[in-house]
Amino acid sequence: QSALTQPRSVSGSPGQSVTISCTGTSRDVGGYNYVSWYQQHPGKAPKLIILDVSKRPSGVPDRFSGSKSGNTASLIISGLQAEDEADYYCFSYEFGYNLMFGGGTKVTVL
Amino acid sequence: QITLKESGPTLVNPTQTPALTCTFSGFSLSTPNMGVAWIRQPPGKALEWLATIFWDGDRRYNPSLRRRLAITEDSSRDQVTLTLIDVNPLDTATYYCVHTPYSGYDVHFDAWGPGILVTVSS
């Protein structure tokens, strides 16, 4: 069982917005502004799409955004597109240098 | 441009101690604030961080696997090696080599290798 809790799946139609939550504790998500998010297409390596809660690396579309409130971080995909169908993982540092991923969320574009 | 590639045995017998090698380019592990990590993913399951080695030789391990992992570097060859001790079928996974810039608690992974599937079976 992952220490960071994500919904198993979310879905939306093209053009809609979807939100993926990532819930931890004050020792990880709530204690540091360093949550990152990774997108993984089937058979491919993960790709960094959000770092430091809300920063986008160069080349990542601005329809991907991140936020955090208390012990829960969120990834928002606005204007959902077919190529956004993938698995998404959140990640956080935990006090004492333990690094944790969430259980992953499958995004389906209807 | 940073690139990484994993190599090593793809089929391993239980109780063996395989070594996985990461060969990278586009950065030097001798440069301050550089790090290389290993992350694995069992088939159909989530990602799991295993270990990181930094430019200054500092090593960090997943506490739950600490006794079964060893990470080393060969800066002259731009390679990092992860050794798994006494493997069992639960270690079957795709193993990724990843670049991680060092910045205290700000840990993230900004470049990934394609991964290598390691199957543990007799």
Side-chain angles (χ1 to χ4, degrees):
Chain A
Q1 183 175 357
S2 302
L4 302 182
T5 301
Q6 298 181 232
R8 295 288 295 268
S9 64
V10 298
S11 61
S13 300
Q16 289 186 329
S17 294
V18 295
T19 299
I20 302 171
S21 60
C22 171
T23 301
T25 70
S26 59
R27 291 174 53 89
D28 39 68
V29 173
Y32 307 91
N33 288 322
Y34 298 129
V35 175
S36 53
W37 290 89
Y38 300 83
Q39 176 192 60
Q40 185 179 33
H41 288 107
K44 300 294 186 181
K47 173 189 174 184
L48 176 67
I49 58 172
I50 294 287
L51 69 153
D52 299 352
V53 175
S54 59
K55 297 178 182 176
R56 278 188 310 277
S58 174
V60 174
D62 60 5
R63 64 178 183 276
F64 292 94
S65 62
S67 65
K68 193 187 84 165
S69 177
N71 296 336
T72 298
S74 298
L75 173 70
I76 305 99
I77 309 175
S78 306
L80 198 61
Q81 299 186 7
E83 61 260 36
D84 300 334
E85 185 160 295
D87 293 327
Y88 293 82
Y89 293 91
C90 63
F91 171 86
S92 176
Y93 173 95
E94 181 190 32
F95 177 80
Y97 210 100
N98 188 22
L99 308 182
M100 302 183 301
F101 287 93
T105 298
K106 180 177 179 60
V107 171
T108 301
V109 181
L110 302 172
Chain B
Q1 179 188 4
I2 292 174
T3 64
L4 310 100
K5 187 170 184 179
E6 308 83 357
S7 60
T10 56
L11 180 60
V12 182
N13 288 323
T15 75
Q16 285 189 325
T17 299
L20 302 178
T21 298
C22 172
T23 303
F24 55 86
S25 64
F27 70 99
S28 171
L29 205 44
S30 301
T31 302
N33 301 327
M34 293 294 113
V36 173
W38 285 91
I39 293 167
R40 72 179 180 182
Q41 185 175 36
K45 296 190 176 181
L47 300 165
E48 179 180 37
W49 170 72
L50 299 177
T52 302
I53 188 166
F54 293 106
W55 88 100
D56 60 357
D58 187 23
R59 294 164 173 81
R60 302 285 179 161
Y61 294 97
N62 184 318
S64 66
L65 295 166
R66 174 67 180 90
R67 293 183 297 117
R68 299 182 51 228
L69 298 172
I71 189 169
T72 59
E73 58 156 321
D74 184 342
S75 295
S76 65
R77 300 178 62 184
D78 288 338
Q79 290 183 333
V80 169
T81 297
L82 179 74
T83 301
L84 295 84
I85 299 166
D86 190 20
V87 296
N88 62 70
L90 291 177
D91 294 312
T92 294
T94 296
Y95 288 76
Y96 294 101
C97 173
V98 187
H99 175 262
T100 177
Y102 176 81
S103 185
Y105 305 136
D106 184 8
V107 181
H108 55 271
F109 309 107
D110 58 6
W112 296 63
I116 181 171
L117 175 60
V118 178
T119 301
V120 181
S121 174
S122 55

